[in-house]
Amino acid sequence: MRVVIAEDLALLRDGLTRLLRAYDFEVVAAVEDGPSLLPALVEHRPDVAVIDVRLPPTFTDEGLQAAIAARTTVPGLPVLVLSQHVEPLYARELLTDRRGGVGYLLKDRVANVAQFIDGVRRVASGGTVMDPEVVGQLLARHQPPLAALTVREREVLGLMAEGRSNGAIAAKLFIGDKAVSKHINSIFTKLGLPPSDDDHRRVLAVLAYLNG
């Protein structure tokens, strides 16, 4: 699995490179700034890009803008954002294009290596991985519409937005798969979202609603 890394801190960039290689990823490029990222993504067309949002020269949104631009040339390019802060605006921009895997993880909340590697693989395979803190801020922006949901439905919605499957939600909440399906159908009905059996499309529909 081929990876492009964009990270301005040399120690972290080298650490990510060594870590991914240890888990049999092929790091085809590791860049340190925004101007270098877009050409790397277009040239190598990786299976997944692991990028920081704030890169030189301005440390604003160079990483994200390069990834979005690359998706016009490489449609559906999977992108996993590693950020130091919760920035819903960046999540919203990333989710504008619903093709390909997407993820948004916070650097200081990645609990262990296995969690990170799993996230990279899920995004590369077309899935979605969202940090609960990011999801929490998106949920907080929609209090009036979400007031129609029960406490359990809000829990299920939050886990859906993180990219969890029905089985994973059931295990997390200690309920059955049928109960999860019932809650999801109720959520989609109350929020006016189109139903979907595809986990990734379902997650994107939820995130698109929360980002609206």
Side-chain angles (χ1 to χ4, degrees), residues 22-68:
Y23 281 83
D24 298 323
F25 291 89
E26 179 187 359
V27 179
V28 294
V31 304
E32 63 181 353
D33 55 46
S36 302
L37 178 55
L38 179 56
L41 293 174
V42 173
E43 175 186 353
H44 295 288
R45 296 173 180 250
D47 297 302
V48 60
V50 180
I51 67 170
D52 191 358
V53 171
R54 298 179 177 181
L55 294 173
T58 67
F59 293 98
T60 54
D61 60 355
E62 284 89 348
L64 182 68
Q65 292 305 323
I68 292 172

Side-chain angles (χ1 to χ4, degrees), residues 4-171:
V4 166
I5 297 171
E7 169 58 53
D8 64 296
L9 297 177
L11 287 177
L12 183 52
R13 186 172 63 252
D14 183 66
L16 285 171
T17 300
R18 292 173 182 269
L19 175 63
L20 290 169
R21 285 175 175 166
Y23 281 83
D24 298 323
F25 291 89
E26 179 187 359
V27 179
V28 294
V31 304
E32 63 181 353
D33 55 46
S36 302
L37 178 55
L38 179 56
L41 293 174
V42 173
E43 175 186 353
H44 295 288
R45 296 173 180 250
D47 297 302
V48 60
V50 180
I51 67 170
D52 191 358
V53 171
R54 298 179 177 181
L55 294 173
T58 67
F59 293 98
T60 54
D61 60 355
E62 284 89 348
L64 182 68
Q65 292 305 323
I68 292 172
R71 280 189 161 197
T72 64
T73 303
V74 188
L77 173 70
V79 176
L80 174 60
V81 172
L82 276 178
S83 177
Q84 194 69 33
H85 309 285
V86 180
E87 312 217 34
L89 174 61
Y90 296 147
R92 180 161 56 251
E93 290 194 53
L94 183 63
L95 292 163
T96 299
D97 179 0
R98 298 192 182 188
R99 296 171 296 176
V102 293
Y104 193 123
L105 297 177
L106 299 179
K107 293 177 181 178
D108 59 354
R109 284 176 49 84
V110 177
N112 54 60
V113 169
Q115 176 192 10
F116 172 70
I117 295 299
D118 176 67
V120 175
R121 287 178 173 149
R122 284 169 62 186
V123 172
S125 65
T128 306
V129 180
M130 297 291 288
D131 188 281
E133 285 293 318
V134 178
V135 172
Q137 288 211 11
L138 296 178
L139 289 171
R141 297 174 61 241
H142 289 76
Q143 291 302 321
L146 296 181
L149 304 183
T150 66
V151 173
R152 178 64 84 189
E153 287 169 350
R154 286 175 61 90
E155 291 176 334
V156 171
L157 178 64
L159 293 172
M160 287 170 61
E162 290 175 27
R164 298 184 187 239
S165 65
N166 282 21
I169 294 172

